[in-house]
Amino acid sequence: MNNPPHFTWDDLQFFLAVARTGQLSTAARQLRSSHATVSRRIDRLEFTLKVKLFERNPRGYVLTAMGTRFVETAERMEQETERLRADLADGSMAQRGLVRLSAPEGFANFFFATVLPQFAAQHPHLSLELVTIQQIMSLSRKEADLSVVLDEPKGGPYFAEKLTDYHLQIYGSRDYLAKAPAITCREDLLEHPFVSYIEEMIFAPGLDYLGDVHPRIKPQFQSSSIFAQLTATRNGLGLCILPYFFASRYPELVRVLPEEIDLKRHYWITCHRDLKQAPRVRAVIDFLREAVRGEDTRFVPPYVTAAGPARRARES
């Protein structure tokens, strides 16, 4: 009679690390182990379970169909393990581990990076990876633990909570506007070069806003980077639609048609529902919520009379 399969939680940690990263070396770094040890643990787990969990190729490890199914089981066990650790440890020690956060470039560089010292002080045992190439990150494939997004997820096993509204207006540099034709109405905008996103590389509907200003605007300079757009605008290349929370930092930038054009968008924090209660993930969600709440005036400018952003949570 064959013995039933036997494996330890330790083996599942190695499995999940490889499943989430697709790379032995990255998983080894996260687990503070070696490439060889991770490979050996995966081989042992596959031998014990008598199933193939990964396809090996030159680019890394890719989950098989059985491996994908096994991820759900392993993550439930991970969640219960983290809950047990939280019950056994004090609050600060329970929040340990690595969290990968995906966020838009503007939010990451011009807001979150500015509050990182507070985050580090509050959570000294948490390591953070901040990814701003959002269009290639996927919560469903576990490429990120958390994402700040512009559009609320529709369907799927995700938790989502609105962090804040934010406002955008048209900006131009003082030098550019001093030499350019006067702008008194929307039609005048057609006489000016615009800086914007590359249309086919817009990864969220919330970033496609030129049409909201005027359907006939054609950008002269396009970039996938909002930082590049900001730099081009500051250097007088033309007009650009920019978020108030960072454009207002630069005194050389002037709002154009401020009484007529004001766009509102939203930032959401979202994660896979199974990860929502993991202490390390919960710590980042709670920190972001409080950090944004304490900086409402950075996102909602004084010329907006609304009382403030409404927040709601939804599990879909």
Side-chain angles (χ1 to χ4, degrees):
M1 182 175 180
N2 293 332
N3 292 327
H6 175 73
F7 54 85
T8 67
W9 166 238
D10 234 17
D11 294 329
L12 295 186
Q13 286 182 296
F14 282 83
F15 165 74
L16 284 175
V18 176
R20 289 166 176 166
T21 65
Q23 301 290 333
L24 293 182
S25 56
T26 306
R29 187 168 63 254
Q30 290 183 3
L31 295 167
R32 294 180 172 84
S33 184
S34 69
H35 184 286
T37 298
V38 176
S39 177
R40 186 167 61 251
R41 289 297 190 102
I42 297 300
D43 290 343
R44 185 175 78 177
L45 183 60
E46 289 184 326
F47 177 79
T48 302
L49 296 176
K50 295 181 173 56
V51 295
K52 191 172 184 180
L53 300 172
F54 295 99
E55 296 288 351
R56 282 76 165 168
N57 64 49
R59 298 184 61 184
Y61 278 46
V62 179
L63 286 165
T64 62
M66 185 59 72
T68 300
R69 290 177 57 189
F70 193 58
V71 165
E72 298 178 7
T73 300
E75 285 186 335
R76 284 197 295 270
M77 295 179 68
E78 177 187 48
Q79 187 173 351
E80 291 304 315
T81 300
E82 291 195 0
R83 284 177 181 169
L84 177 61
R85 286 175 179 166
D87 290 339
L88 295 175
D90 63 77
S92 63
M93 295 299 287
Q95 295 163 356
R96 287 183 173 273
L98 174 71
V99 177
R100 175 175 286 179
L101 171 67
S102 169
E105 184 185 18
F107 182 89
N109 290 334
F110 294 99
F111 176 72
F112 191 52
T114 67
V115 295
L116 279 176
Q118 295 97 296
F119 178 83
Q122 292 180 28
H123 303 289
H125 304 291
L126 273 179
S127 298
L128 185 70
E129 291 182 350
L130 180 58
V131 181
T132 60
I133 314 174
Q134 194 175 43
Q135 55 266 49
I136 68 169
M137 304 306 293
S138 167
L139 289 174
S140 62
R141 296 195 298 270
K142 303 300 190 297
E143 293 171 340
D145 299 306
L146 279 166
S147 286
V148 174
V149 297
L150 286 86
D151 303 296
E152 181 185 11
K154 303 297 183 185
Y158 303 113
F159 161 81
E161 176 179 325
K162 188 163 81 167
L163 283 175
T164 185
D165 299 327
Y166 71 98
H167 290 251
L168 307 99
Q169 288 194 321
I170 300 175
Y171 288 86
S173 73
R174 292 184 187 278
D175 288 345
Y176 169 79
L177 292 172
K179 302 172 185 176
I183 304 171
T184 60
C185 64
R186 289 179 190 249
E187 289 298 319
D188 292 339
L189 296 174
L190 299 178
E191 304 300 318
H192 295 260
F194 263 77
V195 175
S196 188
Y197 284 100
I198 302 171
E199 186 174 354
E200 59 267 29
M201 296 181 69
I202 292 176
F203 60 86
L207 295 178
D208 190 10
Y209 35 59
L210 275 184
D212 291 346
V213 174
H214 197 295
R216 300 208 310 273
I217 291 177
K218 300 297 181 184
Q220 180 172 331
F221 172 73
Q222 297 169 282
S223 173
S224 60
S225 166
I226 190 65
F227 188 78
Q229 295 176 42
L230 170 66
T231 303
T233 307
R234 292 177 63 200
N235 283 290
L237 194 60
L239 304 179
C240 185
I241 301 171
L242 294 168
Y244 165 81
F245 72 89
F246 63 81
S248 59
R249 297 182 180 191
Y250 301 95
E252 68 270 27
L253 293 182
V254 178
R255 290 185 288 142
V256 174
L257 299 179
E259 302 302 321
E260 184 175 351
I261 298 172
D262 183 88
L263 307 180
K264 183 169 75 171
R265 296 294 189 267
H266 323 283
Y267 283 128
W268 296 78
I269 182 72
T270 181
C271 68
H272 198 282
R273 196 162 49 213
D274 291 344
L275 285 178
K276 179 191 170 187
Q277 296 303 330
R280 61 189 174 87
V281 172
R282 191 74 245 171
V284 179
I285 293 175
D286 291 344
F287 176 83
L288 276 172
R289 182 192 299 119
E290 293 305 314
V292 169
R293 182 175 297 159
E295 298 283 354
D296 272 348
T297 55
R298 289 176 64 176
F299 294 98
V300 182
Y303 54 77
V304 176
T305 58
R311 292 179 174 83
R312 62 190 176 92
R314 175 183 300 170
E315 288 190 27
S316 52

